[in-house]
Each structure stands twice: as structure tokens, then as C-alpha cells.
Amino acid sequence: EPEVTQTPSHQVTQMGQEVILRCVPISNHLYFYWYRQILGQKVEFLVSFYNNEISEKSEIFDDQFSVERPDGSNFTLKIRSTKLEDSAMYFCASRGQGGTEAFFGQGTRLTVV
Amino acid sequence: QKEVEQNSGPLSVPEGAIASLNCTYSDRGSQSFFWYRQYSGKSPELIMFIYSNGDKEDGRFTAQLNKASQYVSLLIRDSQPSDSATYLCAVNNNNNDMRFGAGTRLTVKP
């Protein structure tokens, strides 16, 4: 069964460092998302991406964040200068054309120390 | 006003009982509604989706939608301890981007 794959599963980084979280969406999907979940809190929308551009972004997605689809398979989230409060689980999701439900990857746990 | 609201719980029911989870949403133009289950430390997993007013049944799960009241619910019949998880209500906005409620933590006691 097709699935969304995220790497790494856990990333530890020092405050101020750049991190790149990677996602491989389901192959024929066209809509891509990043969500964040701080431990014990709700799943928060960060950004949606379609046709090689950002469709919508939340107020969380400030200038420190960027997304990219560098090739036909990967979808990345970059945090330029990490802060302690960026520590969270980051979920990638994808959706197919005509489909409405999003399928989630297993997440990357980011720990900023 | 929050886009999607749920009671955070915890909701505790005995094994075999019916668990009732509720959700309200603010965007009257929303067309698609979802229930996801999330086990601790895991990613959300789709249980059901519903588009039309009324009930939709799938095994022990029934989703109910009332667009006039902007209300969607999930009933779990014959609750099992393995149903213990956080249940996330999600609603698609005009861009088909999904917004989640805070989740309701359900505990099913043996």
C-alpha cells in the first residue's frame, strides 16, 4: 500500500542551526502539507503546496520556514535558524487529485537543544 | 473563534459501551469532514470521512453530520480498550486544506 515516508524519524539539533525535514509523498499525489504537533498539543497547519508553489500558510510559517520540491519525489521543510520552541513532531501529508482526505507520514520528531 | 472545536476530554467509557465524540466548526462553507485517530507518539490515521448530512456507518463507527448546526460527531459502539486514543476532528476549508480540532482523548476501561 502506498504511503508517505518521512526522514529522519528523530532529529536533534542545536539552537540556531538549520534543519531540513524530508518527505516522500504518495507518488501520484499533487497536494502536499506540513503540520506541526508540539508534545501534548493539537495538530497545527503550517503550509500547503500545490503546482510548485505555496497555496496557503499559517501565521506559524514565518520567514524562518521554507518548503521546496527539489525533484519529482521529495518535499522538504527547512527551518533556517531553529529555536527551542520549534521542538515538535512534524508531519508531512499528501492528497491526490480529486481526493479530499490527506494521508500522513509517520512524522519527524525535532528536538532543539 | 476557533475553526474546529472539540472537547479535549478525557472521555472515559467502560468496555462495551458507546463512546460519543463531538465537534463543531466555524466555516459554514466547509464540505468535507474527517475523523482521525492518533495513538500517543504516532501520526494521525484516518477512520472515516463524511460529506453529506446524516449518518455514515463503517463497522463499529458511525459519523454524523449536521451542516445546519455545523456539527459533526463520531460514535464508537462496543468500545474496546484498543480504541483508547486521541480522536481528531478535521474539516476542509475552501482550499481543501485540512484544519484539525484539538482532539478528544478517549480511554476505554476494561
Side-chain angles (χ1 to χ4, degrees), chain B residues 15-46:
Chain B
E15 184 174 357
I18 296 175
S20 177
L21 305 161
N22 304 314
C23 173
T24 58
Y25 59 95
S26 60
D27 183 357
R28 190 169 283 279
S30 298
Q31 297 294 322
S32 306
F33 308 89
F34 307 86
W35 284 99
Y36 282 81
R37 177 176 60 199
Q38 187 179 31
Y39 293 112
S40 181
K42 303 294 185 181
S43 61
E45 171 192 16
L46 182 69

PDB file of all heavy atoms in Angstrom, chain B residues 15-46:
ATOM      1  N   GLU B  15     -15.553  -0.706  28.793  1.00  0.00           N
ATOM      2  CA  GLU B  15     -15.519  -1.608  27.637  1.00  0.00           C
ATOM      3  C   GLU B  15     -16.928  -2.067  27.291  1.00  0.00           C
ATOM      4  O   GLU B  15     -17.723  -2.416  28.168  1.00  0.00           O
ATOM      5  CB  GLU B  15     -14.628  -2.809  27.957  1.00  0.00           C
ATOM      6  CG  GLU B  15     -14.449  -3.759  26.795  1.00  0.00           C
ATOM      7  CD  GLU B  15     -13.437  -4.871  27.122  1.00  0.00           C
ATOM      8  OE1 GLU B  15     -12.846  -4.848  28.236  1.00  0.00           O
ATOM      9  OE2 GLU B  15     -13.244  -5.745  26.263  1.00  0.00           O
ATOM     10  N   GLY B  16     -17.231  -2.012  25.988  1.00  0.00           N
ATOM     11  CA  GLY B  16     -18.542  -2.431  25.522  1.00  0.00           C
ATOM     12  C   GLY B  16     -19.553  -1.308  25.408  1.00  0.00           C
ATOM     13  O   GLY B  16     -20.605  -1.465  24.782  1.00  0.00           O
ATOM     14  N   ALA B  17     -19.239  -0.155  25.977  1.00  0.00           N
ATOM     15  CA  ALA B  17     -20.166   0.988  25.927  1.00  0.00           C
ATOM     16  C   ALA B  17     -20.010   1.747  24.608  1.00  0.00           C
ATOM     17  O   ALA B  17     -19.118   1.466  23.801  1.00  0.00           O
ATOM     18  CB  ALA B  17     -19.899   1.918  27.110  1.00  0.00           C
ATOM     19  N   ILE B  18     -20.912   2.707  24.414  1.00  0.00           N
ATOM     20  CA  ILE B  18     -20.820   3.601  23.250  1.00  0.00           C
ATOM     21  C   ILE B  18     -20.058   4.855  23.659  1.00  0.00           C
ATOM     22  O   ILE B  18     -20.386   5.501  24.658  1.00  0.00           O
ATOM     23  CB  ILE B  18     -22.215   3.991  22.736  1.00  0.00           C
ATOM     24  CG1 ILE B  18     -22.969   2.763  22.211  1.00  0.00           C
ATOM     25  CG2 ILE B  18     -22.106   5.052  21.632  1.00  0.00           C
ATOM     26  CD1 ILE B  18     -24.394   3.060  21.793  1.00  0.00           C
ATOM     27  N   ALA B  19     -19.042   5.198  22.860  1.00  0.00           N
ATOM     28  CA  ALA B  19     -18.315   6.446  23.072  1.00  0.00           C
ATOM     29  C   ALA B  19     -18.821   7.467  22.059  1.00  0.00           C
ATOM     30  O   ALA B  19     -18.963   7.145  20.874  1.00  0.00           O
ATOM     31  CB  ALA B  19     -16.820   6.234  22.905  1.00  0.00           C
ATOM     32  N   SER B  20     -19.114   8.668  22.525  1.00  0.00           N
ATOM     33  CA  SER B  20     -19.653   9.723  21.666  1.00  0.00           C
ATOM     34  C   SER B  20     -18.709  10.923  21.673  1.00  0.00           C
ATOM     35  O   SER B  20     -18.430  11.503  22.719  1.00  0.00           O
ATOM     36  CB  SER B  20     -21.038  10.140  22.168  1.00  0.00           C
ATOM     37  OG  SER B  20     -21.541  11.205  21.386  1.00  0.00           O
ATOM     38  N   LEU B  21     -18.202  11.247  20.495  1.00  0.00           N
ATOM     39  CA  LEU B  21     -17.229  12.335  20.347  1.00  0.00           C
ATOM     40  C   LEU B  21     -17.844  13.419  19.472  1.00  0.00           C
ATOM     41  O   LEU B  21     -18.439  13.115  18.436  1.00  0.00           O
ATOM     42  CB  LEU B  21     -15.948  11.792  19.697  1.00  0.00           C
ATOM     43  CG  LEU B  21     -15.325  10.617  20.433  1.00  0.00           C
ATOM     44  CD1 LEU B  21     -14.369   9.854  19.531  1.00  0.00           C
ATOM     45  CD2 LEU B  21     -14.603  11.094  21.668  1.00  0.00           C
ATOM     46  N   ASN B  22     -17.687  14.673  19.896  1.00  0.00           N
ATOM     47  CA  ASN B  22     -18.367  15.777  19.220  1.00  0.00           C
ATOM     48  C   ASN B  22     -17.393  16.826  18.704  1.00  0.00           C
ATOM     49  O   ASN B  22     -16.306  17.004  19.260  1.00  0.00           O
ATOM     50  CB  ASN B  22     -19.339  16.431  20.193  1.00  0.00           C
ATOM     51  CG  ASN B  22     -20.323  15.440  20.763  1.00  0.00           C
ATOM     52  OD1 ASN B  22     -20.895  14.637  20.035  1.00  0.00           O
ATOM     53  ND2 ASN B  22     -20.502  15.469  22.071  1.00  0.00           N
ATOM     54  N   CYS B  23     -17.854  17.550  17.684  1.00  0.00           N
ATOM     55  CA  CYS B  23     -17.003  18.532  17.022  1.00  0.00           C
ATOM     56  C   CYS B  23     -17.894  19.604  16.400  1.00  0.00           C
ATOM     57  O   CYS B  23     -18.930  19.270  15.807  1.00  0.00           O
ATOM     58  CB  CYS B  23     -16.179  17.816  15.964  1.00  0.00           C
ATOM     59  SG  CYS B  23     -15.184  18.860  14.887  1.00  0.00           S
ATOM     60  N   THR B  24     -17.510  20.858  16.536  1.00  0.00           N
ATOM     61  CA  THR B  24     -18.186  21.933  15.813  1.00  0.00           C
ATOM     62  C   THR B  24     -17.167  22.693  14.979  1.00  0.00           C
ATOM     63  O   THR B  24     -15.972  22.693  15.296  1.00  0.00           O
ATOM     64  CB  THR B  24     -18.890  22.902  16.775  1.00  0.00           C
ATOM     65  OG1 THR B  24     -17.923  23.444  17.680  1.00  0.00           O
ATOM     66  CG2 THR B  24     -19.993  22.212  17.556  1.00  0.00           C
ATOM     67  N   TYR B  25     -17.637  23.317  13.924  1.00  0.00           N
ATOM     68  CA  TYR B  25     -16.728  24.034  13.032  1.00  0.00           C
ATOM     69  C   TYR B  25     -17.335  25.390  12.684  1.00  0.00           C
ATOM     70  O   TYR B  25     -18.544  25.583  12.743  1.00  0.00           O
ATOM     71  CB  TYR B  25     -16.429  23.209  11.770  1.00  0.00           C
ATOM     72  CG  TYR B  25     -17.655  22.853  10.953  1.00  0.00           C
ATOM     73  CD1 TYR B  25     -18.052  23.637   9.882  1.00  0.00           C
ATOM     74  CD2 TYR B  25     -18.405  21.719  11.260  1.00  0.00           C
ATOM     75  CE1 TYR B  25     -19.174  23.312   9.145  1.00  0.00           C
ATOM     76  CE2 TYR B  25     -19.523  21.384  10.521  1.00  0.00           C
ATOM     77  CZ  TYR B  25     -19.903  22.182   9.477  1.00  0.00           C
ATOM     78  OH  TYR B  25     -21.021  21.859   8.742  1.00  0.00           O
ATOM     79  N   SER B  26     -16.479  26.320  12.298  1.00  0.00           N
ATOM     80  CA  SER B  26     -16.932  27.691  12.123  1.00  0.00           C
ATOM     81  C   SER B  26     -17.221  28.069  10.656  1.00  0.00           C
ATOM     82  O   SER B  26     -18.043  28.947  10.401  1.00  0.00           O
ATOM     83  CB  SER B  26     -15.890  28.665  12.684  1.00  0.00           C
ATOM     84  OG  SER B  26     -14.655  28.507  12.004  1.00  0.00           O
ATOM     85  N   ASP B  27     -16.556  27.407   9.711  1.00  0.00           N
ATOM     86  CA  ASP B  27     -16.713  27.774   8.306  1.00  0.00           C
ATOM     87  C   ASP B  27     -17.933  27.077   7.705  1.00  0.00           C
ATOM     88  O   ASP B  27     -17.892  25.877   7.428  1.00  0.00           O
ATOM     89  CB  ASP B  27     -15.439  27.407   7.536  1.00  0.00           C
ATOM     90  CG  ASP B  27     -15.503  27.840   6.068  1.00  0.00           C
ATOM     91  OD1 ASP B  27     -16.554  28.365   5.626  1.00  0.00           O
ATOM     92  OD2 ASP B  27     -14.491  27.651   5.364  1.00  0.00           O
ATOM     93  N   ARG B  28     -18.986  27.840   7.502  1.00  0.00           N
ATOM     94  CA  ARG B  28     -20.232  27.261   7.008  1.00  0.00           C
ATOM     95  C   ARG B  28     -20.088  26.681   5.600  1.00  0.00           C
ATOM     96  O   ARG B  28     -20.869  25.847   5.178  1.00  0.00           O
ATOM     97  CB  ARG B  28     -21.335  28.337   7.029  1.00  0.00           C
ATOM     98  CG  ARG B  28     -22.718  27.829   6.777  1.00  0.00           C
ATOM     99  CD  ARG B  28     -23.764  28.906   7.070  1.00  0.00           C
ATOM    100  NE  ARG B  28     -23.985  29.061   8.500  1.00  0.00           N
ATOM    101  CZ  ARG B  28     -24.771  28.251   9.223  1.00  0.00           C
ATOM    102  NH1 ARG B  28     -25.383  27.239   8.642  1.00  0.00           N
ATOM    103  NH2 ARG B  28     -24.943  28.462  10.494  1.00  0.00           N
ATOM    104  N   GLY B  29     -19.052  27.110   4.868  1.00  0.00           N
ATOM    105  CA  GLY B  29     -18.836  26.601   3.523  1.00  0.00           C
ATOM    106  C   GLY B  29     -18.072  25.289   3.461  1.00  0.00           C
ATOM    107  O   GLY B  29     -17.869  24.740   2.378  1.00  0.00           O
ATOM    108  N   SER B  30     -17.659  24.762   4.598  1.00  0.00           N
ATOM    109  CA  SER B  30     -16.903  23.508   4.621  1.00  0.00           C
ATOM    110  C   SER B  30     -17.749  22.381   4.052  1.00  0.00           C
ATOM    111  O   SER B  30     -18.959  22.316   4.287  1.00  0.00           O
ATOM    112  CB  SER B  30     -16.470  23.163   6.041  1.00  0.00           C
ATOM    113  OG  SER B  30     -15.605  24.157   6.549  1.00  0.00           O
ATOM    114  N   GLN B  31     -17.096  21.498   3.303  1.00  0.00           N
ATOM    115  CA  GLN B  31     -17.832  20.433   2.620  1.00  0.00           C
ATOM    116  C   GLN B  31     -17.407  19.036   3.036  1.00  0.00           C
ATOM    117  O   GLN B  31     -18.151  18.086   2.821  1.00  0.00           O
ATOM    118  CB  GLN B  31     -17.622  20.574   1.100  1.00  0.00           C
ATOM    119  CG  GLN B  31     -18.173  21.858   0.513  1.00  0.00           C
ATOM    120  CD  GLN B  31     -19.685  21.921   0.602  1.00  0.00           C
ATOM    121  OE1 GLN B  31     -20.377  20.920   0.426  1.00  0.00           O
ATOM    122  NE2 GLN B  31     -20.217  23.099   0.918  1.00  0.00           N
ATOM    123  N   SER B  32     -16.193  18.912   3.581  1.00  0.00           N
ATOM    124  CA  SER B  32     -15.656  17.584   3.874  1.00  0.00           C
ATOM    125  C   SER B  32     -15.199  17.531   5.328  1.00  0.00           C
ATOM    126  O   SER B  32     -14.549  18.458   5.811  1.00  0.00           O
ATOM    127  CB  SER B  32     -14.460  17.285   2.966  1.00  0.00           C
ATOM    128  OG  SER B  32     -14.799  17.465   1.608  1.00  0.00           O
ATOM    129  N   PHE B  33     -15.518  16.401   5.964  1.00  0.00           N
ATOM    130  CA  PHE B  33     -15.289  16.279   7.402  1.00  0.00           C
ATOM    131  C   PHE B  33     -14.686  14.918   7.682  1.00  0.00           C
ATOM    132  O   PHE B  33     -15.093  13.912   7.084  1.00  0.00           O
ATOM    133  CB  PHE B  33     -16.623  16.457   8.147  1.00  0.00           C
ATOM    134  CG  PHE B  33     -17.337  17.703   7.732  1.00  0.00           C
ATOM    135  CD1 PHE B  33     -18.211  17.675   6.661  1.00  0.00           C
ATOM    136  CD2 PHE B  33     -17.103  18.904   8.381  1.00  0.00           C
ATOM    137  CE1 PHE B  33     -18.850  18.829   6.227  1.00  0.00           C
ATOM    138  CE2 PHE B  33     -17.738  20.064   7.960  1.00  0.00           C
ATOM    139  CZ  PHE B  33     -18.612  20.030   6.882  1.00  0.00           C
ATOM    140  N   PHE B  34     -13.732  14.914   8.601  1.00  0.00           N
ATOM    141  CA  PHE B  34     -12.937  13.704   8.809  1.00  0.00           C
ATOM    142  C   PHE B  34     -12.765  13.429  10.285  1.00  0.00           C
ATOM    143  O   PHE B  34     -12.710  14.346  11.105  1.00  0.00           O
ATOM    144  CB  PHE B  34     -11.538  13.887   8.192  1.00  0.00           C
ATOM    145  CG  PHE B  34     -11.571  14.315   6.753  1.00  0.00           C
ATOM    146  CD1 PHE B  34     -11.675  15.657   6.419  1.00  0.00           C
ATOM    147  CD2 PHE B  34     -11.509  13.382   5.743  1.00  0.00           C
ATOM    148  CE1 PHE B  34     -11.718  16.055   5.098  1.00  0.00           C
ATOM    149  CE2 PHE B  34     -11.555  13.775   4.415  1.00  0.00           C
ATOM    150  CZ  PHE B  34     -11.663  15.112   4.095  1.00  0.00           C
ATOM    151  N   TRP B  35     -12.657  12.166  10.607  1.00  0.00           N
ATOM    152  CA  TRP B  35     -12.227  11.747  11.934  1.00  0.00           C
ATOM    153  C   TRP B  35     -10.947  10.946  11.796  1.00  0.00           C
ATOM    154  O   TRP B  35     -10.882   9.971  11.031  1.00  0.00           O
ATOM    155  CB  TRP B  35     -13.304  10.906  12.626  1.00  0.00           C
ATOM    156  CG  TRP B  35     -14.433  11.735  13.147  1.00  0.00           C
ATOM    157  CD1 TRP B  35     -15.653  11.935  12.564  1.00  0.00           C
ATOM    158  CD2 TRP B  35     -14.452  12.479  14.359  1.00  0.00           C
ATOM    159  NE1 TRP B  35     -16.423  12.760  13.339  1.00  0.00           N
ATOM    160  CE2 TRP B  35     -15.710  13.119  14.449  1.00  0.00           C
ATOM    161  CE3 TRP B  35     -13.528  12.692  15.387  1.00  0.00           C
ATOM    162  CZ2 TRP B  35     -16.060  13.931  15.522  1.00  0.00           C
ATOM    163  CZ3 TRP B  35     -13.878  13.508  16.452  1.00  0.00           C
ATOM    164  CH2 TRP B  35     -15.127  14.116  16.513  1.00  0.00           C
ATOM    165  N   TYR B  36      -9.935  11.400  12.527  1.00  0.00           N
ATOM    166  CA  TYR B  36      -8.663  10.702  12.582  1.00  0.00           C
ATOM    167  C   TYR B  36      -8.463  10.189  14.006  1.00  0.00           C
ATOM    168  O   TYR B  36      -8.920  10.783  14.976  1.00  0.00           O
ATOM    169  CB  TYR B  36      -7.500  11.644  12.248  1.00  0.00           C
ATOM    170  CG  TYR B  36      -7.309  11.944  10.780  1.00  0.00           C
ATOM    171  CD1 TYR B  36      -8.082  12.905  10.138  1.00  0.00           C
ATOM    172  CD2 TYR B  36      -6.332  11.284  10.038  1.00  0.00           C
ATOM    173  CE1 TYR B  36      -7.898  13.186   8.794  1.00  0.00           C
ATOM    174  CE2 TYR B  36      -6.138  11.565   8.693  1.00  0.00           C
ATOM    175  CZ  TYR B  36      -6.920  12.521   8.079  1.00  0.00           C
ATOM    176  OH  TYR B  36      -6.732  12.802   6.743  1.00  0.00           O
ATOM    177  N   ARG B  37      -7.746   9.091  14.114  1.00  0.00           N
ATOM    178  CA  ARG B  37      -7.354   8.540  15.412  1.00  0.00           C
ATOM    179  C   ARG B  37      -5.841   8.694  15.519  1.00  0.00           C
ATOM    180  O   ARG B  37      -5.105   8.429  14.573  1.00  0.00           O
ATOM    181  CB  ARG B  37      -7.751   7.072  15.503  1.00  0.00           C
ATOM    182  CG  ARG B  37      -7.337   6.369  16.773  1.00  0.00           C
ATOM    183  CD  ARG B  37      -7.873   4.942  16.801  1.00  0.00           C
ATOM    184  NE  ARG B  37      -7.368   4.159  15.690  1.00  0.00           N
ATOM    185  CZ  ARG B  37      -7.932   3.032  15.252  1.00  0.00           C
ATOM    186  NH1 ARG B  37      -9.031   2.581  15.842  1.00  0.00           N
ATOM    187  NH2 ARG B  37      -7.403   2.365  14.260  1.00  0.00           N
ATOM    188  N   GLN B  38      -5.391   9.103  16.696  1.00  0.00           N
ATOM    189  CA  GLN B  38      -3.959   9.269  16.913  1.00  0.00           C
ATOM    190  C   GLN B  38      -3.564   8.602  18.219  1.00  0.00           C
ATOM    191  O   GLN B  38      -3.999   9.020  19.293  1.00  0.00           O
ATOM    192  CB  GLN B  38      -3.558  10.749  16.920  1.00  0.00           C
ATOM    193  CG  GLN B  38      -2.053  10.957  16.974  1.00  0.00           C
ATOM    194  CD  GLN B  38      -1.650  12.421  16.944  1.00  0.00           C
ATOM    195  OE1 GLN B  38      -2.370  13.290  17.421  1.00  0.00           O
ATOM    196  NE2 GLN B  38      -0.472  12.699  16.386  1.00  0.00           N
ATOM    197  N   TYR B  39      -2.737   7.575  18.114  1.00  0.00           N
ATOM    198  CA  TYR B  39      -2.145   6.965  19.290  1.00  0.00           C
ATOM    199  C   TYR B  39      -0.935   7.801  19.703  1.00  0.00           C
ATOM    200  O   TYR B  39      -0.314   8.469  18.875  1.00  0.00           O
ATOM    201  CB  TYR B  39      -1.729   5.525  19.013  1.00  0.00           C
ATOM    202  CG  TYR B  39      -2.887   4.584  18.766  1.00  0.00           C
ATOM    203  CD1 TYR B  39      -3.110   4.022  17.513  1.00  0.00           C
ATOM    204  CD2 TYR B  39      -3.770   4.259  19.788  1.00  0.00           C
ATOM    205  CE1 TYR B  39      -4.175   3.157  17.284  1.00  0.00           C
ATOM    206  CE2 TYR B  39      -4.834   3.401  19.571  1.00  0.00           C
ATOM    207  CZ  TYR B  39      -5.038   2.862  18.314  1.00  0.00           C
ATOM    208  OH  TYR B  39      -6.094   2.013  18.098  1.00  0.00           O
ATOM    209  N   SER B  40      -0.616   7.752  20.967  1.00  0.00           N
ATOM    210  CA  SER B  40       0.458   8.562  21.521  1.00  0.00           C
ATOM    211  C   SER B  40       1.765   8.344  20.756  1.00  0.00           C
ATOM    212  O   SER B  40       2.208   7.204  20.580  1.00  0.00           O
ATOM    213  CB  SER B  40       0.652   8.238  22.995  1.00  0.00           C
ATOM    214  OG  SER B  40       1.667   9.035  23.545  1.00  0.00           O
ATOM    215  N   GLY B  41       2.346   9.428  20.263  1.00  0.00           N
ATOM    216  CA  GLY B  41       3.625   9.345  19.561  1.00  0.00           C
ATOM    217  C   GLY B  41       3.533   8.896  18.119  1.00  0.00           C
ATOM    218  O   GLY B  41       4.556   8.740  17.456  1.00  0.00           O
ATOM    219  N   LYS B  42       2.301   8.694  17.639  1.00  0.00           N
ATOM    220  CA  LYS B  42       2.105   8.223  16.263  1.00  0.00           C
ATOM    221  C   LYS B  42       1.431   9.299  15.424  1.00  0.00           C
ATOM    222  O   LYS B  42       0.973  10.315  15.924  1.00  0.00           O
ATOM    223  CB  LYS B  42       1.254   6.946  16.258  1.00  0.00           C
ATOM    224  CG  LYS B  42       1.828   5.808  17.087  1.00  0.00           C
ATOM    225  CD  LYS B  42       3.136   5.298  16.514  1.00  0.00           C
ATOM    226  CE  LYS B  42       3.631   4.088  17.274  1.00  0.00           C
ATOM    227  NZ  LYS B  42       4.927   3.605  16.739  1.00  0.00           N
ATOM    228  N   SER B  43       1.366   9.050  14.127  1.00  0.00           N
ATOM    229  CA  SER B  43       0.731  10.011  13.234  1.00  0.00           C
ATOM    230  C   SER B  43      -0.777   9.787  13.187  1.00  0.00           C
ATOM    231  O   SER B  43      -1.259   8.699  13.520  1.00  0.00           O
ATOM    232  CB  SER B  43       1.328   9.882  11.830  1.00  0.00           C
ATOM    233  OG  SER B  43       1.097   8.597  11.305  1.00  0.00           O
ATOM    234  N   PRO B  44      -1.539  10.804  12.792  1.00  0.00           N
ATOM    235  CA  PRO B  44      -2.993  10.626  12.657  1.00  0.00           C
ATOM    236  C   PRO B  44      -3.324   9.592  11.588  1.00  0.00           C
ATOM    237  O   PRO B  44      -2.703   9.534  10.535  1.00  0.00           O
ATOM    238  CB  PRO B  44      -3.473  12.018  12.238  1.00  0.00           C
ATOM    239  CG  PRO B  44      -2.405  12.961  12.693  1.00  0.00           C
ATOM    240  CD  PRO B  44      -1.128  12.192  12.548  1.00  0.00           C
ATOM    241  N   GLU B  45      -4.352   8.805  11.878  1.00  0.00           N
ATOM    242  CA  GLU B  45      -4.778   7.727  10.986  1.00  0.00           C
ATOM    243  C   GLU B  45      -6.260   7.941  10.685  1.00  0.00           C
ATOM    244  O   GLU B  45      -7.074   8.071  11.604  1.00  0.00           O
ATOM    245  CB  GLU B  45      -4.546   6.405  11.728  1.00  0.00           C
ATOM    246  CG  GLU B  45      -5.107   5.173  11.085  1.00  0.00           C
ATOM    247  CD  GLU B  45      -5.070   3.992  12.050  1.00  0.00           C
ATOM    248  OE1 GLU B  45      -4.903   4.194  13.264  1.00  0.00           O
ATOM    249  OE2 GLU B  45      -5.232   2.857  11.573  1.00  0.00           O
ATOM    250  N   LEU B  46      -6.606   8.004   9.406  1.00  0.00           N
ATOM    251  CA  LEU B  46      -7.988   8.272   9.023  1.00  0.00           C
ATOM    252  C   LEU B  46      -8.907   7.126   9.427  1.00  0.00           C
ATOM    253  O   LEU B  46      -8.639   5.962   9.124  1.00  0.00           O
ATOM    254  CB  LEU B  46      -8.070   8.488   7.513  1.00  0.00           C
ATOM    255  CG  LEU B  46      -9.456   8.825   6.967  1.00  0.00           C
ATOM    256  CD1 LEU B  46      -9.883  10.220   7.433  1.00  0.00           C
ATOM    257  CD2 LEU B  46      -9.464   8.758   5.441  1.00  0.00           C
TER     258      LEU B  46
END
